[in-house]
Amino acid sequence: MTGRDTTPRPPEPIRRFYKEATVAPHAGGEARILLDNRPVRTPAKAHLAAPPSIAERIAAEWNAQGDYILPISMPMTRLANTAIDGVTAALDPVKDDIAKMAQSDLVMYRADFPAGLVAEQKAHWDPVVAFAEDALGVRIMLAEGIMPVEQDPRLSEGVRRRLPATPLPLAAFHQLTTLTGSALTTLAFTEALLDFERAWQVAHVDEDWNIREWGEDAEAAARRAQRRKDAEAAAFVLRPEAVPAAS
């Protein structure tokens, strides 16, 4: 007799059950998302609401669904759900996590060869380091390789002080930091040193170098395209004018 198969199975796709998504005014200057005039709720059963420009994007994601609802194609909806259900009650832990990531930021760890990659990292990453040193009043230590280098504790303290105070922008900052590997790049984007395209380039110096040298893998390209959509959603929350209009 064999045991029961306990292999996790993906959830069944949800068939589209509504005709139209719209937005309606909500408390505090926000807008709720409605499906056939019924309010959408988050997984934790809170009202799905956001600033009007973001609510419009969420509604557009729902309207773009076909016969089945595909959450992977709804980055702004997922980000808003995370902010409402997860970040609202955990502002300090989320800030602590971002500050911790800043202590081992992507732009601190440099290659020592080949010369072309060294030059690319310097060209893209040095302006971010210079911005952070000036903005935070600390010297950032750089290292070759991946061995940890200890940073001035004022670095993480300074990053933490400049983080958004409310759930949705803070969730967006955390998401963009995670996707780029760089809290300092996200801070530079938020404070208008970089637009989105430039920030995305900063985050992918090593990957782009390898693509030029060895070619691009189709599956890796698809994963990167999905990450970019998630990054654009976060960037739009933080600085909508800095995100490409076609996004």
Side-chain angles (χ1 to χ4, degrees):
M1 182 176 178
T2 59
R4 180 181 298 176
D5 182 5
T6 59
T7 303
R9 289 178 171 80
E12 290 292 325
I14 300 174
R15 184 177 287 276
R16 179 167 174 162
F17 55 88
Y18 58 92
K19 291 182 179 180
E20 183 183 25
T22 56
V23 301
H26 190 53
E30 292 194 326
R32 288 190 302 179
I33 293 81
L34 308 178
L35 301 180
D36 297 338
N37 293 318
R38 295 187 179 93
V40 180
R41 292 186 180 271
T42 69
K45 308 304 181 184
H47 282 290
L48 180 56
S53 62
I54 296 167
E56 291 286 354
R57 283 208 163 201
I58 294 172
E61 290 178 347
W62 286 87
N63 282 325
Q65 299 303 298
D67 291 338
Y68 291 91
I69 298 171
L70 302 176
I72 192 69
S73 69
M74 306 169 78
M76 193 66 82
T77 301
R78 289 186 282 107
L79 178 58
N81 284 339
T82 297
I84 295 167
D85 288 350
V87 177
T88 299
L91 293 174
D92 283 339
V94 172
K95 290 181 180 181
D96 290 343
D97 194 45
I98 295 169
K100 181 179 179 181
M101 286 190 279
Q103 289 287 92
S104 56
D105 202 275
L106 169 75
V107 300
M108 299 170 180
Y109 294 92
R110 308 298 179 92
D112 56 1
F113 70 95
L117 177 57
V118 172
E120 286 286 308
Q121 289 179 344
K122 182 176 179 62
H124 286 84
W125 294 355
D126 280 6
V128 175
V129 171
F131 157 79
E133 288 182 330
D134 182 64
L136 304 175
V138 297
R139 182 184 177 192
I140 294 174
M141 305 301 294
L142 306 182
E144 292 180 351
I146 60 173
M147 292 301 294
V149 58
E150 186 173 353
Q151 300 292 340
D152 189 324
R154 292 177 299 169
L155 172 65
S156 57
E157 294 166 3
V159 168
R160 199 182 193 285
R161 284 195 300 270
R162 300 172 95 95
L163 293 176
T166 53
L168 183 55
L170 183 60
F173 197 107
H174 189 279
Q175 179 163 295
L176 193 55
T177 295
T178 301
L179 290 166
T180 60
S182 177
L184 300 184
T185 299
T186 302
L187 185 64
F189 168 78
T190 303
E191 301 198 6
L193 177 72
L194 307 172
D195 63 12
F196 178 79
E197 291 294 347
R198 182 68 171 169
W200 196 243
Q201 290 172 0
V202 167
H204 292 85
V205 169
D206 292 359
E207 185 175 323
D208 288 341
W209 171 266
N210 286 326
I211 288 171
R212 289 194 297 271
E213 290 294 303
W214 309 107
E216 187 171 33
D217 175 76
E219 290 186 5
R223 290 193 297 270
R224 176 165 167 171
Q226 182 59 54
R227 290 199 313 272
R228 180 183 170 111
K229 291 177 182 178
D230 291 344
E232 286 180 344
F236 185 85
V237 171
L238 295 168
R239 275 183 66 213
E241 76 282 359
V243 178
S247 300

